[in-house]
Amino acid sequence: MSSLLLLRHREISNLNRLDIYVKNGGFKAFKKAVTGLQPQQVIDEVKTSGLRGRGGAGFPTGMKWSFLPTNLWPHYVVANADESEPGTFKDRELLEQNPFQFLEGLAIASYAVQAHTAYVYLRGEFWQQAAFLDRCIAEMQKAGYLGDQLFGSDYSLRIYTHLGAGAYVCGEETALLESIEGKMGQPRLRPPFPAVEGLYGKPTVINNVETLANLPYIIEHGAAKFMQYGTAKSPGVKIFSLSGSVNRPGNYELPLGSTFRELIFGLGGGIPAGHKIKAILPAGASSSIILADEKALDTPMDYESVPALGAQLGSASVIVVDDSIRMDWLVNKTVHFFRHESCGKCTPCREGTYWMSHLTEKIVHAHRKEDVQLLNTVARQMQNKCLCALGEFSIMAVMTAIEKFPEDFTASKGR
Amino acid sequence: MANEIKLTIDGKQVTVPAGTLIVDAARELGIDIPVFCYHPKMEPVGMCRMCLVEVGRPVVDRATNQPVLESDGTPKLQFGPKMETACTTPVSAGMVVIGMSDKVKAARNDVLEFLLTSHPLDCPICDKGGECPLQNLTMGFGKGTSRFNFEDKQHNQKHVPLGELIYLDRERCIQCGRCVRFQKDLADDPVIGFYQRGRNLVIDTSSEPGFDSIFSGNTTDICPVGALTTADFRFGARPWELKSAASLCNHCAVGCNLTYNTRREAKSDGKVVIKRAMPRQNENVNEIWLCDKGRFGYHFAESHQRLEKPLIRKDGELVESTWEEAQDLAAKALRAYGFRFISLASGRLSNEDLYEMKQLTENLHGQACLYSPMAGGNLTPLIGYANPQGLSSVGKGTVIVVAASNLHQEAPIWWMQVRAAVKRGAKLIVVNARSTRLDKFASAVVRYRFGREAEAILSLVPGSETSGESGKMMTEAENLVVIYGSDGIGLEGSRQVSAASAELLRATNLLGKPGSGLLPIWQRANDQGAWDTGFTPPDDLVKVVSEADGVLIAGADPAGDHPAYAAALKKAKFIIVQEQFLTKTAQLADIVFPVQSMLERDGSYTNGMRRVQRFMPVVEKLPGTRPDYLVTAQLRQKVVHSNLEFISAAQVFMVLAAHLPDYQNLTYARLMETVPQHPILGRSDVYYGGTSFENRQGLGVQLDSAANRREAYSLPAAPSVQNDLPDLEHAEELMAVPVAELLDTGTITQKSVLLGKRTSTPFALMHPKTAQQKGLAPGEKAKISLAGVTYQTVVRVDESVPTLHVLLPRSLGIPLEKPTLVKMAQ
């Protein structure tokens, strides 16, 4: 038995082998759903569990499933394995070490919305993981967990992998759909939302890999047991990808509501000797930067509590910044990332990220006050105008860094 | 009224149909919300973010479903945390839109600042200057200075030829996507697209030749900056230097309305020259589009090869003469040879020209021949498609049958509109021997072996055992439009096709409504006008011509088209030609009168839908030339001593309106009437719809049909089934059939050098098996023997072409007027 819900492979060796996975209770939940539950019951159970999307938005998963109209078919489920947020590497570990739990979750989600075709969209750089998943899927098919008339029912399901080609923006769900459809990965207009008009214009659910990996547990053990973990509004466990100025970076599974201190100084082993913690980026490059004071460190990591610090939990890619790092240097990095990844469709993001990158570059070298003010202005000018979240989030680190660490943007003495 | 929404924009109330976008609703109020990527003829994308406005919606109590009210009784409004794009948001009841607040003004200012960061300072040399949405909106809403560091501007390639007709400046492009969306959604030629991402997003073309689309010119109209420019107009003139003249395209039967922009310039020796052709909005004809043939194909008028002096034959040679001498000679000849007189006219002539020719022909008791291999022009006054709105509003409930036509090449704008109609819910049935660019939108495709066109059309008659799904579609339809062309048929085939098409309409009982009728795709702009004035194609033109004593030819070059006609003309006793160029026919004439092109004069054309439209003079007439109608009238005066009362086109029109049955109540003034059109385009806000011109010179008048007027009429009998087709299985020859290519080398088309590279080259299209049988290799040269003459061509293969047949394009050097047996070899 494993005390972990998601990173079970750390306690059970070779869990990424089908026989081992099955031996450890694998596919019991999927079989239970297909043979014993109505699709609506599955949706209700997941709704009750309060499971929220683990890709960053934190939207209630069961509620998202219930948006699909039942008079338009077919339905599709797409697993978002585009994991490209800097500082996020949780889905990769699941895909490599516990793939069957993820695939079982994908199968359960498909059954819940009565989709017979599901896709796993992987970022282009994950070609090895995709090949591995293809083998897993083939094995599942051979063993009767995928295909026609599963477990003697009339439910059939096929899963296909699809590789992207190296664009962060394809993690945005509508850009992801465009990519699967063979078009340029640029976000679509919303509304309509994918639940109503998604892949090939049909109702589609898009869920993060980690979200899906939670489903077997919920279906097998029930929503109530799931809710014993985490907090009331953010139930369950989360894989935190910890990186940056910590002694033990890596993926850590903790109940939601655990504090930053527990993660960074507990599991993470604290800050390297001789340095002090300075800031936290809880959501990778898309973060609003948190000043790492005592209050912040004792803040629970869940979807409700983090906003009190002026930030979002996001995908929980916790990047730790210590006092050896200047924020102007850091912001230059994040801004260059977004400038590189901007799809270019909308004016503010296309021109704004380009402009900001020139400004941050200048600031790192010359620290002119006018440039810092202009940088802040440009960021503000982009705000609430962009077509998708990429543009909107690209400015958060910029504005919060300037606000909370103004001294890092001035010329320093002796540093 | 149901489905009408009332909302408030900037304090003013407006009521619009449900589904209207905020930006369009605002225009109804005269409020112009600035846009770049939005275009009223395309689906909105909300990319440029220029149209952000504040949107408030009435709050509704979820529990009671009642609107929540403020203390003063007005509905409580909920404004979103973010502004919304007016171009993607449909109106809703009680909506309040604010476009005049500081927040919105700041947003527009910000977006413009972003757009101008890497936009080059090209205004002094950019063609768009003066009609540039970016300029106008910057003046209206932007900053006077830029905070962006000049050295950081991203540079990109300038003057990138996307093919030789359209140039792209990648620095100027603001990535609005209008061009890409037009090509993909409206033209179905996705040959340009975005490449790379972010600030590096650029337009590129994926076709060879570049930008391979006959609609490419339209993207330069809708481009909101000077990124896409035409080779025709590049560095030509400043918009404010240009004068506008309303005219019509004279290349096909659609009758696109256009505006020619002219300028009197020193470098052209003080002449007024045409700088470009632009679409003139007529939602009932061409909306705001032109095909490239019309847009770039006007240069014939300015060609140096234009005839300027009358020519008469002296001692076997054509020599220059005077009008006096030539006209006297012509009159003398006609008085002498008048008793077997024929006139041969084409749809290149205006109604006025044709009317005068018909009068002269009648005066001389002659035969008025229409130079056209198509039949059916006598049916259109009876059952023609007489929808005053043309095809641009056709949708659900209408079945469109397109028979024997390669519509994309024969009438490009109608092809665009048929496609759009299908998207709106109309059903398309294609009846053709081979595949064309209509097949993919068709609900049903009926194939036939060349020669069995009529049978195939009649197989659709509902209730017949062959009609199947298509028959069912037609019994459920509210309207039926039957369009027929000349793909693979000659005059005889056309008679069969037109009669079968008429019978199909009659049998479905859908005649008598504006939305139903017969629509022939004439080969020339005013063929319908020619039919209406009394010209008909003779069964055997060769016979008629060779037996004639006196022949008057205007607007046609039969000798250039077919050696049989040249031989026939040589047999005629006296030939008078009215022409703009020294064509092969003119070279055989006894007298050649140099005439004006339609750009130097006014007149009227009747398009294929029987809409009579007027065109105005654009450039000064070439000295020494006269309009066709005047030449013929003066000839009449000399021959039969008629009163030369008519010296203007307007006066001729008055007379023909009085005498031609359907043209009563028409006047030039009526042809010039306009009504407000939707979408509201062509005003000072060029950003909204592009640089098409508002139509203030006339929408023309749609003639009605006898069927719609509920008058009695009789149709020809349905054609009988062809049983006497030649047996090709055991023949050495192949059956060659003529087909249309849009960019051919017709008399006026070939003078536009710009289109030279896009002009089709001769080809012989056949089934791969047929090629194999005859030892021919696809893509390789081959010889074709036709009536004893051998021609060179290139073999092309297509599996949809019936075996044992070969398709040859008209007007590309190989004379083929009707299905003819030919021999082919390597």
Side-chain angles (χ1 to χ4, degrees):
Chain A
M1 282 291 331
S2 165
S3 60
L4 294 165
L5 269 58
L6 300 170
L7 300 175
R8 292 166 61 217
H9 51 278
R10 294 191 180 178
E11 293 173 346
I12 307 168
S13 320
N14 296 319
L15 196 58
N16 59 2
R17 273 177 41 182
L18 182 60
D19 55 341
I20 305 289
Y21 182 72
V22 171
K23 200 162 112 189
N24 283 276
F27 296 106
K28 266 165 91 172
F30 184 43
K31 185 168 179 186
K32 175 179 174 187
V34 172
T35 59
L37 297 172
Q38 289 298 311
Q40 185 60 44
Q41 285 175 300
V42 177
I43 296 178
D44 290 337
E45 192 71 18
V46 172
K47 258 192 177 158
T48 310
S49 75
L51 173 67
R52 297 167 71 154
R54 298 296 195 241
F59 194 86
T61 306
M63 194 188 295
K64 191 196 266 197
W65 292 357
S66 67
F67 290 153
L68 269 68
T70 47
N71 57 352
L72 188 56
W73 301 95
H75 290 176
Y76 291 106
V77 177
V78 177
N80 189 343
D82 188 69
E83 186 166 69
S84 303
E85 184 67 53
T88 314
F89 35 90
K90 59 187 181 64
D91 295 334
R92 179 181 180 159
E93 184 169 344
L94 284 173
L95 293 171
E96 290 174 353
Q97 306 298 341
N98 196 1
F100 293 108
Q101 182 167 331
F102 150 63
L103 288 168
E104 185 180 356
L106 178 56
I108 292 170
S110 304
Y111 178 73
V113 299
Q114 299 174 72
H116 299 289
T117 309
Y119 294 95
V120 183
Y121 182 89
L122 297 111
R123 63 182 289 180
E125 294 88 340
F126 276 1
W127 50 271
Q128 285 177 310
Q129 289 76 0
F132 180 52
L133 273 185
D134 283 340
R135 289 201 295 278
C136 295
I137 290 166
E139 283 175 29
M140 277 169 72
Q141 201 138 0
K142 218 163 137 198
Y145 297 114
L146 288 175
D148 294 316
Q149 296 172 320
L150 298 171
F151 311 119
S153 76
D154 57 11
Y155 179 66
S156 67
L157 175 65
R158 279 174 177 73
I159 301 178
Y160 302 95
T161 59
H162 185 101
L163 272 176
Y168 166 77
V169 70
C170 286
E172 200 280 338
E173 56 180 21
T174 57
L176 187 156
L177 295 176
E178 291 284 286
S179 177
I180 293 183
E181 289 181 15
K183 302 183 246 172
M184 277 183 84
Q186 291 182 329
R188 297 174 179 168
L189 272 181
R190 288 149 278 122
F193 290 90
V196 172
E197 207 177 296
L199 188 60
Y200 307 117
K202 300 286 190 250
T204 305
V205 161
I206 299 146
N207 281 139
N208 176 261
V209 167
E210 185 188 346
T211 311
L212 295 166
N214 277 286
L215 296 174
Y217 184 89
I218 293 172
I219 296 303
E220 189 185 344
H221 300 286
K225 260 203 125 181
F226 178 78
M227 288 157 82
Q228 284 175 350
Y229 298 89
T231 69
K233 288 220 182 112
S234 303
V237 299
K238 181 86 186 67
I239 305 174
F240 294 89
S241 296
L242 181 67
S243 65
S245 314
V246 288
N247 285 316
R248 289 201 291 270
N251 285 320
Y252 296 101
E253 182 182 313
L254 287 170
L256 282 162
S258 312
T259 63
F260 283 107
R261 196 187 295 279
E262 281 165 347
L263 174 66
I264 297 170
F265 290 95
L267 291 169
I271 314 297
H275 292 284
K276 289 215 297 275
I277 190 170
K278 178 169 163 177
I280 301 169
L281 278 65
S286 301
S287 309
S288 297
I289 301 176
I290 298 171
L291 175 67
D293 54 16
E294 300 304 309
K295 172 168 172 265
L297 289 170
D298 288 319
T299 301
M301 296 183 295
D302 63 52
Y303 298 101
E304 277 65 47
S305 311
V306 175
L309 300 171
Q312 301 286 333
L313 178 63
S315 48
S317 338
V318 179
I319 303 177
V320 177
V321 177
D322 72 12
D323 54 4
S324 72
I325 295 174
R326 282 173 60 94
M327 293 318 242
D328 62 343
W329 174 91
L330 184 93
V331 161
N332 190 27
K333 293 277 174 200
T334 63
V335 163
H336 268 84
F337 172 76
F338 287 111
R339 169 233 166 121
H340 185 249
E341 297 292 340
S342 168
C343 79
K345 189 172 186 181
C346 75
T347 307
C349 176
R350 179 182 71 242
E351 308 295 343
T353 54
Y354 178 80
W355 195 353
M356 287 200 297
S357 72
H358 278 278
L359 290 168
T360 54
E361 198 63 45
K362 283 198 199 45
I363 290 169
V364 158
H365 289 109
H367 299 104
R368 284 196 347 220
K369 192 157 150 221
E370 312 87 81
D371 289 336
V372 179
Q373 275 171 347
L374 186 55
L375 175 66
N376 206 29
T377 305
V378 172
R380 242 169 249 296
Q381 247 173 238
M382 286 171 65
Q383 197 168 32
N384 291 332
K385 296 206 187 67
C386 301
L387 186 78
C388 84
L390 189 154
E392 296 291 342
F393 288 148
S394 67
I395 59 176
M396 301 317 292
V398 172
M399 297 199 302
T400 49
I402 293 175
E403 180 201 334
K404 295 178 184 173
F405 303 94
E407 64 284 355
D408 280 11
F409 291 86
T410 62
S412 68
K413 305 170 181 73
R415 194 94 66 87
Chain B
M1 224 200 275
N3 275 342
E4 295 250 302
I5 309 268
K6 205 166 168 181
L7 70 150
T8 309
I9 305 178
D10 286 337
K12 299 194 206 153
Q13 283 219 324
V14 67
T15 306
V16 289
T20 306
L21 301 161
I22 293 178
V23 65
D24 294 327
R27 264 184 103 69
E28 296 296 321
L29 286 169
I31 295 172
D32 294 329
I33 296 178
V35 296
F36 286 113
C37 66
Y38 177 72
H39 190 283
K41 292 274 182 189
M42 297 193 276
E43 290 300 305
V45 283
M47 280 162 63
C48 69
R49 315 309 282 178
M50 190 63 192
C51 65
L52 290 168
V53 287
E54 295 191 78
V55 178
R57 294 174 178 80
V59 179
V60 174
D61 186 329
R62 292 252 183 111
T64 63
N65 242 354
Q66 292 302 309
V68 176
L69 300 175
E70 300 277 14
S71 52
D72 61 1
T74 54
K76 184 169 162 112
L77 293 169
Q78 169 88 325
F79 280 84
K82 298 190 195 181
M83 289 181 283
E84 297 173 42
T85 43
C87 71
T88 58
T89 311
V91 300
S92 57
M95 184 187 265
V96 171
V97 177
I98 298 176
M100 303 265 281
S101 64
D102 289 340
K103 192 171 173 195
V104 173
K105 288 200 194 135
R108 291 174 184 172
N109 193 318
D110 294 343
V111 171
L112 281 164
E113 182 172 27
F114 280 133
L115 283 173
L116 291 168
T117 51
S118 283
H119 192 81
L121 296 176
D122 276 358
C123 291
I125 56 157
C126 174
D127 293 308
K128 208 80 179 180
E131 52 186 18
C132 174
L134 183 59
Q135 269 186 348
N136 293 2
L137 289 175
T138 302
M139 291 298 288
F141 300 106
K143 279 193 174 53
T145 55
S146 176
R147 298 179 288 190
F148 187 82
N149 186 15
F150 187 80
E151 268 78 46
D152 293 337
K153 268 186 185 303
Q154 170 145 334
H155 291 290
N156 227 317
Q157 293 131 316
K158 304 175 86 68
H159 1 273
V160 176
L162 296 177
E164 76 288 5
L165 293 174
I166 311 287
Y167 280 79
L168 168 68
D169 188 310
R170 290 194 168 127
E171 277 187 351
R172 297 177 190 168
C173 175
I174 57 169
Q175 288 90 4
C176 73
R178 273 184 178 180
C179 56
V180 175
R181 285 149 54 211
F182 170 80
Q183 286 298 133
K184 177 158 181 287
D185 297 335
L186 294 181
D188 195 35
D189 283 327
V191 291
I192 52 170
F194 280 119
Y195 290 84
Q196 301 182 57
R197 68 171 184 237
R199 182 93 267 298
N200 299 324
L201 261 191
V202 290
I203 303 284
D204 202 355
T205 180
S206 56
S207 65
E208 185 48 54
F211 212 154
D212 191 10
S213 170
I214 58 174
F215 301 105
S216 63
N218 292 301
T219 58
T220 64
D221 292 334
I222 60 180
C223 177
V225 293
L228 288 170
T229 49
T230 64
D232 194 34
F233 182 60
R234 248 167 102 66
F235 299 124
R238 283 310 200 178
W240 57 83
E241 298 175 322
L242 300 170
K243 287 204 161 40
S244 299
S247 187
L248 304 168
C249 175
N250 67 340
H251 287 290
C252 85
V254 174
C256 293
N257 289 195
L258 42 76
T259 296
Y260 285 109
N261 283 148
T262 59
R263 181 175 78 163
R264 187 185 291 282
E265 49 184 39
K267 73 176 185 186
S268 303
D269 298 323
K271 285 211 309 247
V272 172
V273 289
I274 300 175
K275 301 310 288 184
R276 64 178 181 182
M278 297 291 283
R280 181 163 52 102
Q281 183 184 22
N282 191 332
E283 293 295 317
N284 312 318
V285 182
N286 58 315
E287 301 170 65
I288 52 167
W289 311 120
L290 290 177
C291 81
D292 286 353
K293 187 176 187 180
R295 187 183 293 268
F296 301 123
Y298 61 84
H299 302 86
F300 62 89
E302 300 168 330
S303 163
H304 290 298
Q305 294 173 345
R306 286 282 301 280
L307 295 172
E308 296 182 56
K309 289 206 160 59
L311 305 170
I312 58 176
R313 197 167 289 278
K314 266 202 177 129
D315 302 318
E317 294 297 315
L318 277 175
V319 297
E320 287 183 354
S321 171
T322 62
W323 277 95
E324 191 76 42
E325 189 187 0
Q327 282 176 320
D328 282 340
L329 210 58
K332 194 160 140 219
L334 287 181
R335 277 198 294 270
Y337 291 109
F339 59 95
R340 262 203 304 200
F341 172 79
I342 68 154
S343 59
L344 182 61
S346 86
R348 228 204 295 150
L349 302 172
S350 74
N351 292 325
E352 296 76 7
D353 307 331
L354 291 158
Y355 184 75
E356 281 300 321
M357 266 182 93
K358 184 70 166 55
Q359 295 306 104
L360 176 63
T361 312
E362 276 180 7
N363 292 149
L364 294 175
H365 308 291
Q367 187 174 350
C369 301
L370 173 57
Y371 185 61
S372 161
M374 286 184 70
N378 54 328
L379 300 175
T380 41
L382 307 176
I383 57 168
Y385 182 63
N387 187 344
Q389 284 156 348
L391 285 171
S392 62
S393 54
V394 169
K396 198 149 180 271
T398 301
V399 170
I400 304 173
V401 172
V402 178
S405 167
N406 184 2
L407 191 56
H408 183 262
Q409 296 288 300
E410 293 178 17
I413 298 295
W414 284 346
W415 173 88
M416 255 180 91
Q417 293 178 327
V418 166
R419 182 166 171 271
V422 171
K423 272 193 177 169
R424 286 190 296 265
K427 294 262 191 294
L428 173 64
I429 302 172
V430 171
V431 185
N432 208 332
R434 50 128 175 188
S435 73
T436 65
R437 283 190 69 162
L438 278 170
D439 291 9
K440 69 193 234 223
F441 335 116
S443 303
V445 173
V446 180
R447 294 256 183 267
Y448 52 79
R449 187 204 131 139
F450 286 112
R452 297 206 187 283
E453 293 83 6
E455 203 178 308
I457 295 169
L458 290 171
S459 76
L460 295 173
V461 172
S464 71
E465 53 190 38
T466 43
S467 62
E469 273 306 305
S470 305
K472 189 158 168 287
M473 256 189 262
M474 281 186 285
T475 42
E476 292 168 351
E478 284 159 24
N479 283 297
L480 173 64
V481 185
V482 180
I483 305 176
Y484 70 89
S486 50
D487 200 54
I489 50 178
L491 182 59
E492 183 46 42
S494 186
R495 284 198 216 285
Q496 305 268 325
V497 166
S498 56
S501 302
E503 171 59 22
L504 178 60
L505 276 162
R506 189 205 62 77
T508 53
N509 278 320
L510 288 170
L511 284 172
K513 312 183 209 185
S516 295
L518 185 68
L519 181 58
I521 308 165
W522 306 120
Q523 291 179 353
R524 291 183 187 81
N526 198 26
D527 279 343
Q528 184 62 60
W531 283 93
D532 288 346
T533 33
F535 285 81
T536 46
D539 284 339
D540 190 343
L541 182 60
V542 170
K543 184 163 182 284
V544 169
V545 167
S546 42
E547 290 175 359
D549 295 325
V551 185
L552 172 63
I553 305 177
D557 180 20
D561 283 339
H562 206 296
Y565 295 139
L569 281 168
K570 288 192 182 123
K571 292 205 192 110
K573 296 219 175 59
F574 198 85
I575 305 169
I576 304 169
V577 170
Q578 293 174 206
E579 248 304 350
Q580 300 173 37
F581 299 99
L582 193 61
T583 59
K584 288 225 167 60
T585 302
Q587 286 166 29
L588 295 175
D590 294 290
I591 300 186
V592 183
F593 288 116
V595 294
Q596 291 168 359
S597 70
M598 51 101 56
L599 298 171
E600 295 152 62
R601 42 162 285 199
D602 59 348
S604 64
Y605 282 163
T606 306
N607 78 357
M609 284 193 197
R610 297 190 85 228
R611 171 175 288 268
V612 185
Q613 307 185 104
R614 198 183 161 190
F615 59 88
M616 316 294 267
V618 178
V619 289
E620 294 156 345
K621 66 168 188 154
L622 191 61
T625 59
R626 298 182 187 182
D628 280 276
Y629 63 82
L630 182 62
V631 177
T632 318
Q634 287 175 336
L635 207 53
R636 254 183 86 199
Q637 198 238 356
K638 286 196 196 273
V639 173
V640 302
H641 307 294
S642 64
N643 271 338
L644 188 62
E645 303 152 2
F646 322 111
I647 51 169
S648 73
Q651 287 166 309
V652 180
F653 192 78
M654 251 169 57
V655 178
L656 73 84
H659 289 99
L660 298 181
D662 288 339
Y663 288 62
Q664 321 264 331
N665 303 322
L666 288 187
T667 61
Y668 264 10
R670 260 197 85 199
L671 296 185
M672 287 192 74
E673 282 170 7
T674 58
V675 294
Q677 300 193 75
H678 279 79
I680 305 167
L681 299 178
R683 303 256 174 92
S684 60
D685 56 329
V686 284
Y687 47 83
Y688 185 67
T691 37
S692 59
F693 280 58
E694 188 184 4
N695 196 331
R696 285 193 282 231
Q697 295 93 348
L699 297 174
V701 174
Q702 173 68 50
L703 298 179
D704 211 349
S705 68
N708 289 354
R709 290 192 297 264
R710 306 242 175 268
E711 290 163 8
Y713 58 87
S714 69
L715 295 175
S720 51
V721 171
Q722 301 291 93
N723 279 323
D724 53 349
L725 292 179
D727 171 20
L728 296 171
E729 290 285 335
H730 306 103
E732 231 193 288
E733 295 104 325
L734 297 172
M735 179 63 84
V737 298
V739 295
E741 282 288 295
L742 180 72
L743 295 172
D744 56 21
T745 50
T747 309
I748 50 178
T749 311
Q750 62 180 303
K751 298 290 186 277
S752 288
V753 175
L754 202 53
L755 290 169
K757 281 219 186 98
R758 303 278 157 154
T759 303
S760 302
T761 46
F763 59 82
L765 185 62
M766 63 188 81
H767 194 283
K769 277 211 202 100
T770 305
Q772 209 179 34
Q773 264 177 347
K774 298 294 175 190
L776 302 168
E780 295 298 316
K781 292 206 186 100
K783 289 209 248 300
I784 186 162
S785 297
L786 175 54
V789 186
T790 305
Y791 303 90
Q792 282 264 30
T793 184
V794 173
V795 176
R796 283 194 209 164
V797 293
D798 174 351
E799 284 186 353
S800 73
V801 175
T803 52
L804 306 172
H805 287 79
V806 57
L807 276 56
L808 302 177
R810 294 190 187 92
S811 291
L812 277 174
I814 300 179
L816 186 66
E817 284 290 290
K818 57 186 182 193
T820 311
L821 290 169
V822 299
K823 281 213 179 87
M824 282 197 73
Q826 265 224 311

